Each structure stands twice: as structure tokens, then as C-alpha cells.
Amino acid sequence: MGRWEPNARGRLAEAALDLYSERGFEQTTVAEIARRAGLTERTYFRHYADKREVLFGGSELRDLLVEAVAGAPEGIATLDLLSLGLEAMSTMFDDRRAYARKRQSVIVANAELQERELIKLASLSAVLAETLRGRGVPERSASLSAETGIAVFKVGFERWIADGEDRAMALVMREVLDELTGLAARGGGS
């Protein structure tokens, strides 16, 4: 594969994930990732700041969340805004379950990557809270709602990548959100 071929960013991400799965995160170098993708180290660093960022890079997920929540019609309840945001984020994962499972197995095997995943989730919560405040949701409610929404995303994602699960991610997210609202309605009991 020549350097001039398109989708360098995607090729690097695929190569990194394959190498991390085969050899482990710590044992893989940026040079090996670039070589596997048919690119140079310099090209790698034009797309990603470091070896971890190839698994977490990009703002697509954040952008989908913000656009869905900020662009919703006025008067929509906060819980429904969360649902719209979760549904929008789910579209990013359409037809990517195998990739998501493989990526998650690499992350679970490495404490540094687990920490980076938590940082990414925290940044999603912060931007969601900011977006909710921009819609007039009071500060405390915006923060609680954002943390709740990202917790639903995390639990839903884990369920969606589980062996045997084949439903669309949006359906799994809706199920988790419904489960949470049911718990709240029952006062936390089962």
C-alpha cells in the first residue's frame, strides 16, 4: 500500500489495533504501526499525538452528541435530550461492532488505556453538561444529567459489545436509559 493512498488516518487506526491485539500495547511502536499501514512515522504524528491517541482520536463522537442535544427543538425534557444524544452517538458505531469489541479488549488489557478511556468519557460529560446549560438547564441539573447520560452510554456500550448481543446500539442505549428511569420511578428498588 503506497503512502499516497487515501484514508491514512483510518489505515493507521486499523494497523494500530491489529498490532495492539497481536503484540500488546506496550510492545508495539509507532514505527511498526506506520509500517503496517504503509506510511511513515512522520505521517503517523500528523494524525495522532501519541501511541494512545490512535484509539481515542477525533471529535466525531463529541460532535454527534453536541449537535443532537443542541439542535433539538425547544421544550424537550432533559431525559429526552439525553436519549437524542445517545441515539446520535450510536450512529458512529453502526457496522463497527467487531472493531469496537477488539478495541475494548485492548483497552481492558492496559491500565494506561483504561485511564485514557475514563478521561475521554469525562470530557464527553463536561461537553454534554455545557450543552445542556446552553439550553437553559440549571447548572446542578445539567451536571447530574450529563454524568447520568455518559454512565448510560458506558453501560450500554459494554452491553452492546458483549458476546451474543446483535441488536443495534441505539436499541441497547434506549433499553439502558429505560431501565434507569424505571429504577428512579421505583425509588431504586427492583
Side-chain angles (χ1 to χ4, degrees):
M1 202 172 283
R3 285 187 276 245
W4 58 270
E5 293 186 32
N7 194 21
R9 188 174 179 84
R11 289 171 30 213
L12 288 165
E14 284 291 332
L17 187 57
D18 287 345
L19 286 166
Y20 295 163
S21 294
E22 294 166 15
R23 300 180 185 169
F25 174 76
E26 295 90 353
Q27 292 74 31
T28 303
T29 67
V30 169
E32 292 166 331
I33 295 167
R35 189 170 32 258
R36 172 80 61 101
L39 299 164
T40 65
E41 278 186 77
R42 187 174 180 178
T43 300
Y44 180 94
F45 286 114
R46 272 191 293 233
H47 292 279
Y48 300 105
D50 60 33
K51 205 168 82 161
R52 294 175 308 166
E53 198 58 28
V54 71
L55 294 172
F56 303 99
S59 63
E60 188 178 358
L61 192 62
R62 181 193 71 221
D63 295 345
L64 288 168
L65 175 62
V66 168
E67 288 169 15
V69 173
E74 291 299 317
I76 292 184
T78 304
L79 193 60
D80 293 329
L81 290 171
L82 294 180
S83 182
L84 289 171
L86 291 167
E87 185 176 328
M89 289 193 306
S90 295
T91 64
M92 184 174 159
F93 297 92
D94 290 345
D95 303 320
R96 297 186 71 193
R97 192 185 317 255
Y99 178 88
R101 283 177 174 150
K102 190 173 185 180
R103 177 186 171 276
Q104 196 64 19
S105 69
V106 168
I107 291 169
V108 167
N110 183 281
E112 182 181 350
L113 296 176
Q114 290 174 36
E115 179 181 359
R116 180 64 182 91
E117 176 88 334
L118 291 173
I119 290 168
K120 181 145 190 170
L121 292 172
S123 71
L124 283 174
S125 178
V127 76
L128 178 54
E130 179 182 328
T131 304
L132 290 170
R133 285 191 300 274
R135 290 188 56 93
V137 176
E139 169 61 39
R140 290 173 66 169
S141 295
S143 295
L144 178 59
S145 297
E147 289 291 333
T148 301
I150 298 308
V152 168
F153 175 76
K154 184 178 181 298
V155 170
F157 180 82
E158 290 169 358
R159 287 184 185 178
W160 180 73
I161 63 170
D163 289 339
E165 178 59 67
D166 62 355
R167 294 174 296 159
M169 183 184 234
L171 292 174
V172 176
M173 291 296 168
R174 181 75 245 175
E175 176 184 85
V176 174
L177 189 58
D178 288 347
E179 191 176 328
L180 176 65
T181 57
L183 283 171
R186 291 187 305 271
S190 48

